[in-house]
Amino acid sequence: ARENLGLVLERLGDERGAEREYKEILRIRPDHAGARARLASLHLRAGNPHRARELARESLLRDPENLPALVVLVEAHLKLGEPEIARLVALRVDRIRPERPEGPYLVGRVFEHQGQRGAAALQYRRATERDARHAAAWARLGRLSLELRDYETAVQSFERLVQLDPESFESWLNLGMALLGKSQIPEAREALDRAQAIRPEDARPSYPLAVILHRYENDPEAALQHYRRYVANAPIHLPPEHPVFAQLRECEQLVQLLAQARAEEEARRRREAMAQEAAARGAESPDTAAPQEGETVPASHQEESDPDLLPPPDFDPDEPAPVEGY
């Protein structure tokens, strides 16, 4: 009962409470192998692989087939840079429990540690075939498939993970990345929006969302906001050669061009409106209306430049006509 209580506390994130329960088991039953294996797992997650390896070995001395202790021992040897020993332990797990997924999963962990990603992916696939609910194997298979650009396998893996845990931020984020790799844009946008809704403070979905808005949905203003949010809140220091910086500059130029085009269009519309308003005022004025057929044009509207209609300048009818030559 105490061991199960410790596991529940671990699931709830109360690792100190779990540790107290496991230590209480050892006070009551000093030879309890399971409690030592659980404590070894806590030390491994806390970044203390030496103590984890010691406790796992103590557990195996009391129960040579204790599965949690064997799993911790493999991971501890990998963290300590001893992949060959870890591989021997993983193969031992596969022999002891040939029907369980832990054997191929641990062999895959060793292959991945050694850089053999293709071989690791095959082992993770074997683990999921033995147990379709083995979330760790699906997660490793999905991430490796993303790295290898096998987007079809990555989508299958992360779709399975969101079925197992619909509130998993990492699964929705990675599913969106995999769908983007397959150019399934609406589905990728939906998955990324779901990840953002689960963890609004995390900026990681902003980068793929910006790419979708920039490259596929022709919305550079919204894309620019996501690019800037990602750069300002990235979980790691971004190197200068990261593609986000070139994409951000390109997006800024697009936004400036769009703003300039909108300003020019607005100016053109204002000019057209003013011209139409002036034409409407001219049509409404009787003095400027065009004469109808047969209507006499008033003298005030006659052309001043017509010499046949107007007397010459300075003409006085009371003065005699000038004599030629004087």
Side-chain angles (χ1 to χ4, degrees), residues 14-31:
D14 185 5
E15 295 192 349
R16 289 188 177 276
E19 182 183 14
R20 285 194 299 270
E21 296 301 327
Y22 299 146
K23 287 182 175 180
E24 182 63 17
I25 294 173
L26 292 178
R27 188 188 67 79
I28 299 170
R29 293 179 56 186
D31 290 335

Side-chain angles (χ1 to χ4, degrees), residues 35-296:
R36 281 183 168 78
R38 303 299 180 188
L39 283 171
S41 179
L42 290 178
H43 279 283
L44 185 66
R45 288 203 297 273
N48 190 359
H50 290 90
R51 180 58 177 158
R53 180 180 59 181
E54 180 183 348
L55 286 167
R57 286 175 174 174
E58 291 177 4
S59 175
L60 291 170
L61 288 174
R62 292 160 176 80
D63 179 7
E65 296 186 4
N66 186 283
L67 188 57
L70 289 167
V71 171
V72 170
L73 195 57
V74 172
E75 298 289 354
H77 281 300
L78 288 177
K79 286 186 178 294
L80 292 171
E82 301 167 345
E84 291 303 324
I85 301 176
R87 182 171 178 271
L88 292 174
V89 179
L91 292 173
R92 179 182 172 187
V93 172
D94 204 21
R95 286 195 302 270
I96 294 173
R97 305 288 179 86
E99 77 287 352
R100 294 289 299 253
E102 287 83 3
Y105 172 77
L106 292 172
V107 174
R109 289 283 296 116
V110 175
F111 280 137
E112 187 178 357
H113 182 85
Q114 294 176 325
Q116 302 180 49
R117 297 185 294 177
L122 289 175
Q123 293 297 323
Y124 295 143
R125 174 75 73 178
R126 284 183 58 206
T128 60
E129 290 170 354
R130 291 187 184 183
D131 183 1
R133 297 185 59 82
H134 198 279
W138 283 117
R140 292 281 181 182
L141 178 61
R143 282 194 289 269
L144 271 183
S145 299
L146 271 180
E147 292 177 13
L148 298 170
R149 301 196 177 188
D150 180 4
Y151 297 120
E152 185 67 35
T153 301
V155 168
Q156 294 174 359
S157 301
F158 294 120
E159 283 181 340
R160 183 60 180 167
L161 282 170
V162 297
Q163 291 173 2
L164 294 173
D165 183 5
E167 296 302 315
S168 172
F169 169 83
E170 297 288 344
S171 299
W172 283 112
L173 173 61
N174 288 317
L175 177 59
M177 299 285 285
L179 289 166
L180 180 57
K182 287 189 68 181
S183 296
Q184 294 181 227
I185 304 306
E187 295 84 355
R189 177 72 185 271
E190 183 180 354
L192 293 167
D193 286 340
R194 182 69 179 271
Q196 194 78 87
I198 292 172
R199 198 181 295 175
E201 73 282 359
D202 199 309
R204 284 178 290 169
S206 287
Y207 182 45
L209 281 172
V211 172
I212 290 174
L213 292 164
H214 181 189
R215 301 294 189 195
Y216 297 96
E217 296 188 359
N218 195 27
D219 190 353
E221 287 93 347
L224 185 58
Q225 292 179 3
H226 280 287
Y227 280 135
R228 288 174 173 170
R229 180 173 185 265
Y230 178 73
V231 170
N233 301 281
I236 59 173
H237 176 70
L238 298 174
E241 63 273 12
H242 194 285
V244 68
F245 294 109
Q247 292 165 325
L248 189 149
R249 288 192 295 271
E250 179 184 338
C251 203
E252 287 176 336
Q253 293 173 356
L254 280 174
V255 170
Q256 291 174 359
L257 289 173
L258 286 173
Q260 181 179 353
R262 281 196 290 265
E264 292 175 354
E265 178 66 16
E266 183 63 24
R268 184 187 66 81
R269 289 177 179 175
R270 284 199 301 269
R271 288 195 300 269
E272 290 180 353
M274 291 172 64
Q276 291 175 359
E277 184 179 352
R281 285 200 303 267
E284 293 173 359
S285 174
D287 294 337
T288 59
Q292 302 296 322
E293 185 176 355
E295 183 180 354
T296 304

